[in-house]
Amino acid sequence: MIRIAALAAAFALTSVSALAQQAATPAAAKPAATKPAAAKTAKPAKGKKAAPAPKALPAADQTQLMAAERVYFGDYECDFKQTLQIAMNPKNAGYVDVAFKKGVYTMKPILSSTGALRLEDVTGRTLLIQIANKSMLMDVKAGQRLVDDCVHEKQRESSQAVKAQQTN
């Protein structure tokens, strides 16, 4: 019983001394707190963030170049009156740029064993899948579609040809 009382008293004393040290620390830290405020004034204005330097992309191999030849370049009409634009990347052969809303994603084309063409974002954020009759853009980090039922003119022609064969 005496031991418990002694331990409780020792604990109370250490708690009080710790609180006293914490109360004394902010007063000593105030001069140091003014230095970061001065450093903040040297940063760019709010809303004007410095763009990160783009990473150098690895050179495309032969299979990637062949996959890039199968991409349908141009405008796509999508669900809910949204659009996609796909163009060759001007700086890197074998890569394509996909523009959706206000974003432009640099993507690496990859042929799949099923015949679908995968355009994988080099940052790992998005994925565009192109099949014979439509394409869809997905956010792989969030696990959801950004836009679906995107159709290029060549995909529209392919769909119409399939429908014409089915009616015959």
Side-chain angles (χ1 to χ4, degrees):
M1 191 72 157
I2 296 174
R3 288 184 186 169
I4 295 174
L7 285 173
F11 180 71
L13 287 175
T14 56
S15 298
V16 170
S17 66
L19 288 174
Q21 286 177 350
Q22 286 178 350
T25 303
K30 283 186 181 178
T34 58
K35 289 182 182 178
K40 287 182 183 178
T41 58
K43 290 185 180 178
K46 189 175 183 179
K48 294 185 180 180
K49 295 180 181 177
K55 293 181 182 178
L57 297 174
D61 60 7
Q62 189 61 32
T63 56
Q64 182 179 341
L65 292 171
M66 288 175 23
E69 290 176 3
R70 294 188 179 199
V71 174
Y72 295 141
F73 294 104
D75 295 331
Y76 288 68
E77 296 174 2
C78 306
D79 276 349
F80 307 111
K81 298 183 181 181
Q82 296 180 346
T83 60
L84 282 178
Q85 292 80 34
I86 299 180
M88 284 190 270
N89 184 292
K91 296 179 183 177
N92 301 294
Y95 290 89
V96 298
D97 290 333
V98 176
F100 176 65
K101 292 188 177 179
K102 294 182 181 181
V104 177
Y105 308 98
T106 300
M107 299 196 168
K108 175 182 178 179
I110 299 172
L111 285 174
S112 72
S113 60
T114 62
L117 181 64
R118 297 170 50 95
L119 301 177
E120 297 180 354
D121 186 358
V122 295
T123 63
R125 180 71 190 185
T126 57
L127 168 71
L128 186 130
I129 297 182
Q130 175 185 300
I131 58 175
N133 62 338
K134 72 174 188 171
S135 299
M136 75 175 77
L137 181 65
M138 296 183 287
D139 183 333
V140 293
K141 296 275 185 184
Q144 65 185 13
R145 291 183 203 151
L146 294 174
V147 66
D148 194 8
D149 204 23
C150 298
V151 181
H152 185 271
E153 185 59 36
K154 290 181 183 178
Q155 290 170 315
R156 187 174 289 111
E157 291 170 4
S158 175
S159 292
Q160 290 172 349
V162 168
K163 286 179 185 177
Q165 285 180 347
Q166 290 175 349
T167 57
N168 290 336

